[in-house]
Amino acid sequence: MTDGFDLAAGSHAPSPVVLAVFLLGGLVALWCGVGWAFDVRGITTRRSERMRRKNEESWAAMGRLGGSPTLFATPGYLRFLGALMGFAGVILCVVAYALWHLG
């Protein structure tokens, strides 16, 4: 009966799988975020151009000329998202480190 209370109280160390998921997710988010934020190999500009072209094609199919005036297809917005993703990756790595030491 008290085994469930020990688990809820956090007396057991975190699972290595949970630590691996947090650490791997953090590293992937950090790697992709830095790539987008600093426009490594032109990834952000190519992606924004592709998004803009897709918007223009979809608007042209509806009979409207010119692309949609959207903020989401700009390189600045994608760089901002990359910075947020990099920050989230750092936070996930810190959480994995804290769980490892607290466990």
Side-chain angles (χ1 to χ4, degrees):
M1 179 75 178
T2 60
D3 291 335
F5 294 120
D6 289 339
L7 181 62
S11 62
H12 300 288
S15 168
V17 174
V18 172
L19 292 176
V21 166
F22 273 101
L23 187 61
L24 187 62
L27 290 175
V28 167
L30 183 63
W31 180 59
C32 291
V34 167
W36 280 21
F38 293 108
D39 199 16
V40 176
R41 296 184 304 172
I43 195 168
T44 305
T45 52
R46 282 182 293 161
R47 185 171 177 86
S48 67
E49 181 63 29
R50 222 176 341 191
M51 290 169 66
R52 189 188 60 75
R53 253 187 285 130
K54 185 177 178 183
N55 283 342
E56 282 183 359
E57 289 171 1
S58 65
W59 277 54
M62 291 187 293
R64 300 176 180 167
L65 297 178
S68 64
T70 180
L71 170 72
F72 305 116
T74 61
Y77 178 74
L78 292 176
R79 286 182 178 197
F80 174 71
L81 283 181
L84 285 179
M85 195 180 339
F87 180 70
V90 169
I91 295 296
L92 283 174
C93 289
V94 167
V95 166
Y97 181 75
L99 285 175
W100 180 49
H101 275 286
L102 291 177

